[in-house]
Amino acid sequence: MPIFAKIRSLLRNLSSANHADLDLDREIDSHLQMLIEQNVEAGMSAKEAERAAKIELGGIEQVKEQVREKRHGSWVLSVLSDCRYAVRQLRKNPGSTAVAVITLALGIGVTTAIFSVVYGVLLRPLPYPDANRIMAVFEVTSKGRPSRIADPNFDDLRDQNRSFQSIAKYNEFIASVSGTTTPSRTRVAHVSPDFFKVFGIQPTLGRGFNANDAKKVAGPTVLVSYGYWKQHLGSPEDLSQAHLKIDNAVYSVVGVLPVGFNFPADVELWVPSDLEGENISRTAHNYSAVGRLRDGVTVEQANADIGTIARRIHDSSSEQGDYLLKDGKVIPLQESITGKARSTLLILLGAVGFLLMVACANVANLLLAQLSVRERELAIRRALGATRGRLVRQLLTEAFLLSSVGGALGVLGAFAGVTGLVALAPANLPRLDSVSISIPVLVFAFFLCTIVAAALGTFTAARSTSGEVRDGFAGEGRGQTGSEGSQYLGRVIVAAQIAITLVLVIGAGLLGRSLMKVLEVNPGFRVDKIITMDVALPSLNDPKAKASQGVFYSNLIDRLKQIPGVQKVGAVSGLPMDGGLPDGTFVLIAQNEMPKTPDGLGALFNQKERLGNADFGVATEGYFQALGIPLIRGRFFDERDGANSPHVAVISESLARTRWPNQDPLGQTIEFGNMDGDVRLLTVIGIVGDTHEYGLEAPPAPTVYVNLFQRPRSTMTVTMLSDTDVESVTSTARGILKDLDPEIPVKFRTFSQIYSASLGSRRFNLILIGFFGISALLLATTGVFGVMAYSVTRRTREIGIRVALGAATGEILRLILGQGMRTILIGVVIGISGALALTRTVKSLLFGVTATDPLTFAGVILLLMGTALLACYIPARRATKVDPIIALRYE
């Protein structure tokens, strides 16, 4: 029980220290009496003898301190003595102490909670060996944007590079998986053989992939996550009987990966890539890539190496167009994962830092007021011989004690705060599973408390020990405390609070205005009363088998239409605001121009005047009707568009406007087979309204919709427009799907949930910065009130004299308010300058407003000045009620 032994030892030390202090008191008293007796024998009176003895001794308390400092272990006793004295001082003013502790707890707690998110997402190393050497590898398009990698391009990068120990490609998709207790929609990754070598990961059970597993003739194999092995497979030690059915193919489970490995995010199953062969096109960007650097190779060297290979591929390729790589790029994997979240989280960390400064300023003002009350006490201690260093140490101890208690409460609050932040955070924020109050976060909180304590202690110590000793006695007997210097410094602190608060509240106002502007955007579709049903059939390549999937969806939609309360039913391959649709290049071809060979078709793609870029979606007529997407011209899909009829397409209004600006798009024929492998021409039969596929902030994307029953697709989202209770509709729909095929898993959502989730990042930023701004506003208002109330108390005698000499109530009110408003205006001016400089950092988070939006600035300035003026008015009003007789009683 070592902890109890330490406690007993500490108690013995404290008891010994108390006994030692008593012995020291007796010894010094004995020595003093001896000196007094000697002085009396020398002819002095008793009073003169005592005074001379004390002078000779040099001050009793100073002697005690000197003796204690020479004792073995005296620094421990000295610290304990300082702590005891600090506790007594803080207990003398429980109200002020409580306010200071709560204020520091708020500042430190919120800062710790936000730092835990920043650390977990941005700073915490990836959980792989030498994770800093794992890189993400990209192609770079002709527009300078990073892109995924085409199969033949990856092969060249893998074979020709000199920078990587190993390099691998991967992609991921949702698949229907059976063979366990219940079918599920599971995220599956296709990976090349060196994928796990890049991460330095070995299965904890079974084996990994080898080169033979990626061959066409090999039996399909799969690696599973540790969680999937426990939850769905029952944790078998022998994997020889473990099999999974993924997209109609039976895979043998050959290994279980370690706990916590889930790259790509949320993937639970990993299968070999290229079992069906590679795509030979250099513009089909189907894979992402990762690589592990060789020892001694830097990121810059790898970038140069990959860039050289990519440019050589571009220059020698027979394929052309915007989708052919122009260059290559290498960045650390952690930066690739967290890149989009970095600026937002750093802005939030900066904002919470401002809140902490406002909180510290408030506490500094409280301590300043307390120091004004203690000026006489500190002057007496200095007059009795206390050194400046001794007083500084005492004040630092008090500040550290205050900061420690506030920090401890703040960290306790941060545990709950982190839970709330994770719940509030948008689903697309990466690495949320890494966010927690970890040891590094606690170390950060400790250093934060130390820095706050040092800053507050240094501030109070410098203020209290800067003047002469006699200044501490200057106001004695006049019924007032403090000094003009204290008042001036307090107003400076309040002005700084006002300035910082203005920056925070303007930032929150800009984000609020942006959200309002976003919500004003017409998404182009209905949001309410839509129930979505995600269905994943096995992926098939055989045209006849794919046709059966079209029949399946037709039967499913027909039966869903019969559910009571369901008005419209449709299906689409990708819902708006739920990840978007794939995009590609199509070519304009007349019916009589269709080449008979793939080479002839490829030659047409080199004629830029024939090309167009668009998203590619698979849909049914009911999809447009359920979501209320309007028909602008032409018609929707209907019964004329059967599987054996000429293939047709419906295009979005923006595509019609950009690709056929001076022509009629209806009747035009295009070839878009690079998206689904079907090279049959598509005839444009209708134009529909634009939809914001990628969020309300993004412009509508030009889109080509093809008919599900002509070009079947395995994974679809069924949309149902219904006024009926969601639970009853989903229950009935689940039963219908089970009747059609019991092995197909399903996932239900409401479109309102999808729409709301698309605003998650913007809502997250607004809530947090809004909270910081409101908290800072309350703290700043409290600071203004405190300084003005203290000023009125200090000037009671002056106000009493003015009233006695005939000053009117309005004059007193204007005097006090004028003093307060000068401080506020100085803070506002500084804050406006700071806001103009700093709000530009949130420019990337704004929509529809500028970083210098005059309406936001004006509104926030009026709000801040109004609340600050109210904080000034209350003490000013009290000043008008001062009774001159009471104020001058002691004069």
Side-chain angles (χ1 to χ4, degrees):
M1 304 290 286
I3 184 64
F4 294 110
K6 290 181 180 179
I7 293 173
R8 285 195 296 269
S9 176
L10 179 59
L11 290 175
R12 282 196 300 269
N13 290 337
L14 289 174
S15 178
S16 299
N18 290 331
H19 286 303
D21 283 344
L22 291 174
D23 291 341
L24 179 59
D25 289 341
R26 286 193 291 266
E27 184 177 346
I28 291 178
D29 186 63
S30 174
H31 189 62
L32 179 63
Q33 292 302 322
M34 186 187 304
L35 290 176
I36 292 173
E37 290 174 3
Q38 289 176 359
N39 291 337
V40 170
E41 290 175 359
M44 294 183 185
S45 66
K47 191 172 183 179
E48 290 176 345
E50 182 177 359
R51 181 174 180 275
K54 288 182 178 179
I55 292 173
E56 182 178 351
L57 194 61
I60 296 173
E61 292 300 323
Q62 286 72 26
V63 173
K64 289 182 181 179
E65 288 293 333
Q66 292 170 7
V67 172
R68 290 192 187 103
E69 288 174 1
K70 292 180 180 179
R71 279 187 190 156
H72 177 67
S74 62
W75 67 272
V76 176
L77 300 177
S78 180
V79 169
L80 291 174
S81 176
D82 287 343
C83 289
R84 286 195 296 269
Y85 187 78
V87 170
R88 288 198 299 271
Q89 287 297 324
L90 295 177
R91 288 175 61 184
K92 283 182 180 179
N93 300 282
S96 296
T97 300
V99 171
V101 167
I102 292 171
T103 301
L104 288 176
L106 172 66
I108 293 173
V110 175
T111 305
T112 301
I114 293 296
F115 178 78
S116 70
V117 178
V118 172
Y119 177 79
V121 174
L122 300 181
L123 304 178
R124 189 171 189 168
L126 296 175
Y128 315 119
D130 294 325
N132 62 322
R133 304 197 64 75
I134 303 176
M135 301 290 123
V137 184
F138 297 94
E139 293 183 9
V140 177
T141 68
S142 58
K143 297 180 180 179
R145 298 173 183 169
S147 168
R148 300 215 303 172
I149 293 181
D151 282 332
N153 296 340
F154 170 79
D155 293 341
D156 288 343
L157 294 175
R158 178 196 60 202
D159 298 338
Q160 298 176 27
N161 86 84
R162 300 179 179 179
S163 302
F164 292 97
Q165 291 179 8
S166 51
I167 187 170
K169 65 181 181 181
Y170 66 93
N171 64 14
E172 54 183 301
F173 60 97
I174 296 290
S176 176
V177 180
S178 58
T180 59
T181 53
T182 56
S184 63
R185 287 171 51 84
T186 304
R187 191 168 291 276
V188 181
H190 282 182
V191 301
S192 58
D194 285 343
F195 181 79
F196 298 104
K197 188 184 296 183
V198 169
F199 290 93
I201 296 296
Q202 292 291 333
T204 57
L205 182 65
R207 66 171 178 86
F209 293 137
N210 55 44
N212 292 328
D213 289 322
K215 295 180 179 179
K216 284 187 177 183
V217 295
T221 55
V222 59
L223 292 174
V224 302
S225 70
Y226 186 85
Y228 193 92
W229 173 69
K230 287 184 70 70
Q231 182 178 352
H232 295 282
L233 297 179
S235 310
E237 293 294 328
D238 181 8
L239 299 177
S240 61
Q241 301 303 314
H243 299 86
L244 295 173
K245 187 178 181 182
I246 306 174
D247 284 345
N248 276 352
V250 178
Y251 288 73
S252 300
V253 179
V254 296
V256 179
L257 294 174
V259 177
F261 182 81
N262 65 341
F263 186 88
D266 301 325
V267 166
E268 295 186 278
L269 305 176
W270 291 260
V271 300
S273 60
D274 304 329
L275 289 178
E276 300 297 329
E278 291 189 348
N279 188 322
I280 62 172
S281 171
R282 291 190 181 272
T283 60
H285 307 287
N286 296 321
Y287 286 91
S288 300
V290 288
R292 177 175 287 272
L293 292 178
R294 296 181 187 274
D295 293 338
V297 176
T298 65
V299 178
E300 292 75 18
Q301 290 171 332
N303 245 321
D305 185 13
I306 293 298
T308 300
I309 299 170
R311 290 189 292 274
R312 186 162 60 240
I313 293 172
H314 174 271
D315 294 341
S316 61
S317 174
S318 61
E319 298 183 56
Q320 298 297 324
D322 292 339
Y323 287 88
L324 179 65
L325 85 170
K326 188 77 172 180
D327 205 338
K329 186 175 184 179
V330 172
I331 62 175
L333 179 62
Q334 184 162 354
E335 182 180 332
S336 171
I337 294 172
T338 62
K340 292 182 179 179
R342 179 176 297 275
S343 61
T344 298
L345 291 180
L346 292 180
I347 288 171
L348 289 176
L349 188 61
V352 79
F354 278 2
L355 176 61
L356 180 61
M357 284 193 287
V358 173
C360 289
N362 238 29
V363 175
N365 249 333
L366 284 171
L367 294 178
L368 192 63
Q370 292 301 314
L371 279 179
S372 297
V373 175
R374 294 174 61 186
E375 279 184 356
R376 186 168 181 274
E377 169 213 332
L378 296 173
I380 292 172
R381 292 185 65 180
R382 291 178 65 184
L384 291 176
T387 64
R388 178 170 293 182
R390 186 68 185 83
L391 294 179
V392 168
R393 190 177 72 184
Q394 177 61 51
L395 293 171
L396 283 172
T397 301
E398 293 177 16
F400 186 77
L401 187 62
L402 200 63
S403 179
S404 297
V405 175
L409 292 176
V411 170
L412 291 177
F415 279 95
V418 167
T419 303
L421 285 173
V422 171
L424 182 65
N428 62 356
L429 186 66
R431 305 192 69 195
L432 268 181
D433 57 332
S434 298
V435 175
S436 64
I437 302 293
S438 57
I439 297 299
V441 174
L442 291 176
V443 171
F444 168 82
F446 173 76
F447 278 111
L448 189 62
C449 291
T450 304
I451 292 170
V452 169
L456 293 175
T458 303
F459 167 78
T460 54
R463 182 74 195 99
S464 63
T465 61
S466 59
E468 296 295 332
V469 175
R470 61 176 177 273
D471 295 339
F473 299 97
E476 186 179 359
R478 295 186 177 271
Q480 62 187 43
T481 56
S483 65
E484 286 297 330
S486 298
Q487 290 297 299
Y488 176 76
L489 188 56
R491 290 195 292 271
V492 169
I493 292 173
V494 166
Q497 282 183 291
I498 294 291
I500 295 171
T501 299
L502 187 68
V503 174
L504 274 179
V505 180
I506 284 177
L510 290 172
L511 292 179
R513 288 259 292 150
S514 293
L515 181 58
M516 291 175 62
K517 290 287 186 181
V518 168
L519 295 176
E520 290 173 3
V521 174
N522 178 10
F525 47 78
R526 182 200 306 272
V527 173
D528 60 328
K529 301 180 181 180
I530 301 293
I531 302 170
T532 69
M533 178 181 180
D534 297 327
V535 179
L537 301 180
S539 179
L540 302 171
N541 291 321
D542 180 66
K544 292 183 179 179
K546 291 180 71 173
S548 67
Q549 292 185 333
V551 174
F552 174 88
Y553 278 114
S554 177
N555 293 335
L556 176 62
I557 290 172
D558 288 341
R559 293 190 60 179
L560 293 175
K561 288 179 180 178
Q562 299 171 16
I563 298 176
V566 173
Q567 302 166 18
K568 297 290 181 181
V569 181
V572 70
S573 56
L575 281 172
M577 303 199 178
D578 193 32
L581 296 167
D583 66 327
T585 300
F586 62 84
V587 61
L588 277 69
I589 307 177
Q591 292 285 355
N592 58 358
E593 294 179 319
M594 187 65 184
K596 298 185 180 299
T597 64
D599 290 340
L601 184 60
L604 293 177
F605 276 87
N606 292 327
Q607 302 178 30
K608 291 188 176 181
E609 68 277 4
R610 289 178 175 267
L611 303 182
N613 294 323
D615 286 359
F616 180 84
V618 182
T620 68
E621 175 189 11
Y623 164 70
F624 302 107
Q625 295 171 341
L627 265 64
I629 300 173
L631 179 66
I632 307 300
R633 289 183 57 204
R635 67 177 178 87
F636 289 129
F637 307 126
D638 58 28
E639 64 278 354
R640 287 173 283 179
D641 308 315
N644 298 318
S645 303
H647 285 204
V648 294
V650 171
I651 65 173
S652 66
E653 188 177 11
S654 59
L655 179 58
R657 183 172 56 252
T658 56
R659 187 60 191 82
W660 292 279
N662 300 312
Q663 304 175 54
D664 184 2
L666 299 182
Q668 298 282 349
T669 52
I670 62 174
E671 195 281 323
F672 215 168
N674 58 326
M675 301 304 296
D676 62 356
D678 193 330
V679 297
R680 282 175 284 186
L681 295 187
L682 296 164
T683 302
V684 178
I685 61 169
I687 303 171
V688 296
D690 288 327
T691 60
H692 290 263
E693 294 281 337
Y694 303 97
L696 296 176
E697 302 96 325
T703 307
V704 172
Y705 299 96
V706 299
N707 189 354
L708 169 64
F709 304 127
Q710 291 185 331
R711 300 203 175 189
R713 183 184 176 94
S714 59
T715 301
M716 297 290 291
T717 297
V718 178
T719 56
M720 295 174 281
L721 174 62
S722 173
D723 289 324
T724 311
D725 176 64
V726 173
E727 187 62 33
S728 64
V729 172
T730 56
S731 177
T732 306
R734 183 177 282 107
I736 290 172
L737 184 63
K738 189 173 183 180
D739 287 343
L740 291 174
D741 192 333
E743 291 194 354
I744 295 176
V746 65
K747 177 183 177 182
F748 289 98
R749 294 174 291 174
T750 66
F751 199 31
S752 296
Q753 293 172 330
I754 298 170
Y755 179 81
S756 178
S758 71
L759 300 172
S761 296
R762 191 167 293 281
R763 190 185 301 111
F764 179 69
N765 299 335
L766 175 60
I767 290 174
L768 289 185
I769 294 186
F771 172 76
F772 302 156
I774 292 172
S775 299
L777 182 60
L778 293 175
L779 290 173
T781 303
T782 304
V784 172
F785 175 81
V787 167
M788 295 307 300
Y790 178 69
S791 176
V792 168
T793 301
R794 181 181 171 276
R795 299 175 67 180
T796 299
R797 176 174 165 272
E798 174 199 339
I799 294 169
I801 293 173
R802 289 177 179 271
V803 173
L805 293 176
T809 299
E811 293 175 342
I812 300 299
L813 197 62
R814 283 193 296 273
L815 175 69
I816 302 301
L817 287 179
Q819 174 188 318
M821 287 308 297
R822 283 193 295 273
T823 302
I824 294 166
L825 287 173
I826 291 172
V828 167
V829 171
I830 296 172
I832 291 173
S833 303
L836 289 172
L838 294 176
T839 51
R840 298 182 187 278
T841 60
V842 301
K843 187 176 180 180
S844 62
L845 306 180
L846 303 181
F847 176 80
V849 296
T850 64
T852 57
D853 179 50
L855 185 60
T856 303
F857 271 69
V860 170
I861 291 170
L862 289 175
L863 171 65
L864 187 59
M865 291 188 68
T867 53
L869 184 60
L870 178 62
C872 290
Y873 177 78
I874 296 173
R877 183 66 179 170
R878 191 176 66 190
T880 63
K881 300 182 183 300
V882 169
D883 188 336
I885 296 176
I886 296 175
L888 302 175
R889 176 174 294 170
Y890 299 105
E891 189 62 29

